Amino acid sequence: MNSGSCARERDQGDAIANVRMERVLAGLRESPKRIEPIWFYDPRGSALFERICTAPEYYLTRTEIGITRADAPEMAAALGPRVVLIEPGSGASLKTRLLLEALRAPRAYVPVDISREQLLATTRRLRDDFPSLQVQPVCADFTEAFALPTAALHGEARRIVYFPGSTLGNFARSAASDLLRRMRALAGTRGAVLLGVDRVKNTAVLERAYNDAAGLTAAFNLNALHHLNRELGADFDPTAFAHRAPWGPEQSRIEMHLVANRELGFSVGDERFEMTRGDHLLTEYSHKYTLRDVADLAHSAGLAVRRTWSDPQDWFSVLLLEPT
Ligand code: AVI
């Protein structure tokens, strides 16, 4: 590598850091102040999220795994043979393995993740465990446009976009609709989207899932401040904030907040912000859906619900969506 390319890489790195800083500042200038959920996820935040997924109160992961375990053969039959499975925000999911095991002669698996380390680790493990499967990782932020590897686009294989985990719920309605629309485009006219969503249910069950007794979700929420302090040189005092995650029935969502427990100030970049006791930072939405909501959302993105698989309590559903 010569000094010219080093300088270019440094300039690109600076440009990305500036964009990140500007997005954080824009969120903090809003009312209420907003921090994007991507700030939960540094290595500590990712480890906390893994622990949340097995917390007794957080029913989502084990319920979706249960559905996948029970219904993967039916899902595989509905998807058809020799598919290319594309998974935006892939992580290291057990659900994907259950699906891959059930699929008939899948052509390729394309995990898409922003974390290069996570992506490489997943790719290595899957190549070991599924030696005949082509694993073609894409390192990208799936909320932005990204290109598929040409091998995944070639041939007649049906493309299936797999989006489990109720991650769609973390997007506001219009952003969720845009994301589904992009997934439809990625799948193509003969393809499909296999989507996992969390269902509307008893408020106490929902609020418990985001206020676990061990304090994992609280630590996960506060981790956004530690992450911002380290990455952007902010000076939040995390001890001055408390985790709150109330259910909002009008918007059908859990809203994660960090509430100031005293009057305080903090700086990000050159900007100074003040909060009074009781003010909050909004860190995440987690929308919950009725089947009617999902059908409407899918419809807004040019997709129709073809199949639905749910657990016996109807707490979570996996839906097969196809272009209308
Ligand atoms: C990633 N996402 C689907 C999780 C959720 O349930 O909305 C993130 C999470 N936030 C708090 N606990 C888990």
Side-chain angles (χ1 to χ4, degrees):
M1 192 185 290
N2 61 35
S3 60
S5 71
C6 271
R8 210 165 34 246
E9 279 183 11
R10 195 188 51 233
D11 290 349
Q12 277 171 0
D14 288 350
I16 291 168
N18 288 341
V19 170
R20 279 156 67 89
M21 174 69 92
E22 266 319 308
R23 276 178 67 158
V24 170
L25 290 173
L28 292 172
R29 288 177 200 131
E30 285 181 27
S31 178
K33 298 187 186 341
R34 215 169 38 80
I35 293 175
E36 290 179 281
I38 48 160
W39 290 99
F40 296 144
Y41 300 95
D42 59 2
R44 177 168 177 265
S46 300
L48 279 165
F49 181 62
E50 298 275 306
R51 291 177 63 197
I52 289 171
C53 289
T54 59
E57 298 91 339
Y58 195 77
Y59 59 85
L60 286 81
T61 312
R62 66 172 175 277
T63 308
E64 191 177 24
I65 288 173
I67 297 168
T68 313
R69 226 185 264 290
D71 296 323
E74 263 188 45
M75 293 177 193
L79 298 178
R82 295 180 293 282
V83 298
V84 170
L85 190 71
I86 303 159
E87 184 173 358
S90 46
S93 177
L94 172 61
K95 288 158 272 184
T96 313
R97 288 173 169 266
L98 293 171
L99 189 61
L100 284 170
E101 275 162 14
L103 284 172
R104 198 138 61 79
R107 269 288 149 79
Y109 172 59
V110 182
V112 182
D113 207 291
I114 198 161
S115 159
R116 189 171 293 277
E117 297 75 44
Q118 172 83 268
L119 202 55
L120 292 177
T122 303
T123 302
R124 216 173 307 115
R125 276 198 298 270
L126 283 172
R127 282 185 179 148
D128 285 349
D129 297 347
F130 297 87
S132 60
L133 179 72
Q134 281 192 58
V135 184
Q136 301 177 329
V138 174
C139 189
D141 174 354
F142 72 81
T143 65
E144 310 274 335
F146 64 87
L148 283 177
T150 43
L153 287 165
H154 280 252
E156 288 304 295
R158 188 177 193 216
R159 292 196 297 274
I160 307 297
V161 179
Y162 183 42
F163 199 48
S166 200
T167 305
L168 191 74
N170 297 134
F171 294 82
R173 195 195 142 85
S174 71
S177 173
D178 290 350
L179 189 57
L180 282 179
R181 188 170 288 282
R182 264 184 286 125
M183 288 184 186
R184 190 194 70 165
L186 212 55
T189 46
R190 293 177 42 252
V193 176
L194 190 62
L195 176 73
V197 292
D198 194 17
R199 303 268 298 269
V200 174
K201 61 184 68 61
N202 179 284
T203 303
V205 173
L206 286 168
E207 290 192 336
R208 260 201 306 272
Y210 293 83
N211 293 279
D212 61 281
L216 295 168
T217 311
F220 177 67
N221 198 4
L222 286 160
N223 193 55
L225 303 183
H226 291 285
H227 193 185
L228 283 163
N229 284 352
R230 204 182 49 251
E231 286 277 311
L232 294 188
D235 65 354
F236 288 102
D237 174 3
T239 65
F241 291 88
H243 163 77
R244 292 273 180 284
W247 169 244
E250 298 83 24
Q251 308 275 9
S252 197
R253 66 192 180 201
I254 290 281
E255 285 195 5
M256 293 236 295
H257 299 163
L258 289 169
V259 185
N261 53 29
R262 59 171 166 78
E263 199 165 297
L264 58 88
F266 58 87
S267 301
V268 181
D270 295 332
E271 223 162 302
R272 183 88 190 145
F273 298 89
E274 313 289 338
M275 294 176 78
T276 57
R277 186 184 150 91
D279 281 354
H280 69 272
L281 300 164
L282 174 64
T283 51
E284 187 182 61
Y285 295 140
S286 197
H287 291 84
K288 311 299 168 187
Y289 305 97
T290 62
L291 289 182
R292 174 88 250 162
D293 295 334
V294 193
D296 288 349
L297 195 55
H299 183 74
S300 74
L303 292 160
V305 178
R306 298 291 183 221
R307 296 288 304 268
T308 304
W309 295 275
S310 306
D311 60 293
Q313 300 189 93
D314 281 337
W315 277 12
F316 199 99
S317 294
V318 179
L319 299 104
L320 177 65
L321 311 177
E322 288 176 349
T324 45

